[in-house]
Amino acid sequence: EYFSLTTGENMKSIKLKRLYKIIIILAALLLLTAAVIWFWPVRLFDAAADEVIKIEIFNGNTGKQISIDDRHEIERIAGNLNTVYLRRKLSFGRYVGFNLDTNIYMKDGSMHGCIINSDKNVVYGKYRNAVYTGTIEYDYLQSLFDNPEYLVG
């Protein structure tokens, strides 16, 4: 009675339990990896200011658009956006409207775009994001619309 022989049926049960454990562990690892990737901070803009040729910003509240090609302004804006890291926010449902639709045009012909809704809220790619580190100079960007030299149209 010290030893019990396992039947074929018991062996199948043991193998099935191991399989279930492996499946549960793999599912947990997959969910953990997805969560880390989702919430990992991403840089808003990652390029040198001297690679930028022009910045266009459309104000969704007023309908005004500005185009900036002044080197000093480009360096300030690009420098600021280079310091900002974002983290995706869970947002349910749709949102309507935007504040500053920002497009940054590069020398190589590429364009980086985002929508800056406040100093803490940015739509980048398909996702709403919260500013994780750094600060967006939102008030400064708004003040650029007061300069008639930058206004388009």
Side-chain angles (χ1 to χ4, degrees):
E1 304 224 354
Y2 292 110
F3 299 100
S4 74
L5 298 173
T6 57
T7 62
E9 194 172 298
N10 285 343
M11 289 301 286
K12 287 180 185 177
S13 175
I14 291 171
K15 288 181 180 179
L16 199 56
K17 286 179 184 179
R18 284 185 185 157
L19 181 63
Y20 285 149
K21 282 183 183 178
I22 291 171
I23 289 173
I24 288 172
I25 289 170
L26 288 175
L29 286 174
L30 183 65
L31 286 173
L32 180 64
T33 302
V36 166
I37 290 171
W38 179 264
F39 290 109
W40 194 266
V42 294
R43 194 174 220 172
L44 176 57
F45 182 66
D46 187 17
D50 60 345
E51 293 297 314
V52 176
I53 57 172
K54 176 173 66 169
I55 299 174
E56 291 182 346
I57 305 173
F58 180 80
N59 188 324
N61 295 321
T62 64
K64 293 180 181 178
Q65 181 173 352
I66 57 175
S67 181
I68 301 166
D69 56 6
D70 177 72
R71 292 306 320 157
H72 174 73
E73 298 293 351
I74 287 175
E75 287 174 11
R76 179 170 177 175
I77 295 168
N80 173 244
L81 297 180
N82 269 324
T83 65
V84 175
Y85 283 83
L86 305 173
R87 183 176 277 169
R88 289 186 186 139
K89 290 175 23 177
L90 293 176
S91 60
F92 300 100
R94 299 179 64 103
Y95 54 92
V96 179
F98 61 90
N99 286 342
L100 302 177
D101 184 1
T102 307
N103 293 314
I104 302 172
Y105 296 91
M106 309 300 290
K107 286 182 180 177
D108 66 3
S110 64
M111 190 263 304
H112 299 274
C114 67
I115 296 173
I116 302 171
N117 286 321
S118 71
D119 60 339
K120 303 214 183 291
N121 184 321
V122 176
V123 177
Y124 182 66
K126 298 178 185 178
Y127 305 103
R128 278 186 159 178
N129 299 277
V131 172
Y132 180 64
T133 59
T135 303
I136 295 176
E137 294 181 330
Y138 182 77
D139 292 331
Y140 172 72
L141 293 174
Q142 288 278 14
S143 73
L144 293 173
F145 286 89
D146 296 332
N147 187 339
E149 175 184 338
Y150 300 136
L151 286 176
V152 174

